[in-house]
Amino acid sequence: MQSLSNRAKILEKKPMTLAERAYLPAIFQGLSITLRHFFTKKATIRYPEETRPFSPVFRGLHVLKRDEQGRERCTACGLCAVACPAEAITMVAGERKKGEQNLYREEKYAVSYEINMLRCIFCGLCEEACPKAAVYLQADKMAPPRFERDEFIYGKDRLVEPVSPDTRSKRGIQLTAEQADKLRTQLA
């Protein structure tokens, strides 16, 4: 059958040599590629023992911030959950009782606050939507590897900033030495 454009190239089929019939050129080509990879730089690292440097625009692990007096900032308004495009944030709001003024800043607080790290795309919209600056993405931390899916749902026990003023995030609200001492005396 002749092509319509008359650009068809007629190829002659050459008879294969003995080496080609035994696939020797293809075997040596594959071995040369394998040997070349022994001497090239590895594309992978031994995570979690080794870590790569973070990008300047990297958004890391979430943290629920406390105010200067050690109270939770989150008022369970739900704007972070609404802003989340992956619907990774769920919360249950509750009202503060008498005697809990030193725990929660506002009258409403999040009784339960969960972030599903398997759904989270680390876009940072929750941080931008929060009117109380309670949600913060730490650029120096990332979600550690886990073996079970349940371990990727972070509750308040893992999200709320530790009470100790000495273990605060570097990019978060830093207390001065006087504020840290004052907070230590209040918590004691």
Side-chain angles (χ1 to χ4, degrees), residues 133-158:
V135 179
Y136 182 76
L137 288 134
Q138 297 172 311
D140 55 342
K141 291 185 180 178
M142 59 189 298
R146 305 279 180 190
F147 292 106
E148 300 293 328
R149 295 181 71 85
D150 295 343
E151 295 175 356
F152 284 100
I153 298 173
Y154 283 36
K156 280 182 73 173
D157 56 331
R158 293 165 78 181

Side-chain angles (χ1 to χ4, degrees), residues 42-77:
K42 291 180 182 177
T44 59
I45 59 169
R46 304 185 76 184
Y47 183 81
E49 291 86 15
E50 297 175 24
T51 56
R52 293 186 192 272
F54 292 117
S55 166
V57 295
F58 175 76
R59 296 186 184 105
L61 202 58
H62 301 74
V63 65
L64 290 176
K65 303 295 286 180
R66 294 180 183 270
D67 65 0
E68 298 79 22
Q69 298 174 355
R71 300 176 297 188
E72 291 182 16
R73 288 182 171 207
C74 180
T75 58
C77 64

Side-chain angles (χ1 to χ4, degrees), residues 2 12-13 16 22 33 36 44 62 66-67 73 76 84 101-102 110 138 148 150 154 162-163 179 185:
Q2 190 170 357
E12 290 184 30
K13 189 172 185 179
M16 293 174 74
I33 291 171
R36 199 174 335 133
T44 59
H62 301 74
R66 294 180 183 270
D67 65 0
R73 288 182 171 207
C84 182
Q101 289 85 0
N102 58 347
Q138 297 172 311
E148 300 293 328
D150 295 343
Y154 283 36
V163 176
Q179 290 173 330
T185 55

Side-chain angles (χ1 to χ4, degrees), residues 7 14 22-23 25 31 34 47 55 62 87 90 98 108 121 126 128 137-138 149 156 184 188:
R7 288 189 223 158
K14 294 182 200 171
Y23 300 107
L31 286 174
T34 303
Y47 183 81
S55 166
H62 301 74
E87 298 181 3
T90 57
K98 283 188 176 181
K108 285 184 70 180
I121 58 173
C126 54
E128 293 178 17
L137 288 134
Q138 297 172 311
R149 295 181 71 85
K156 280 182 73 173
R184 241 183 246 115

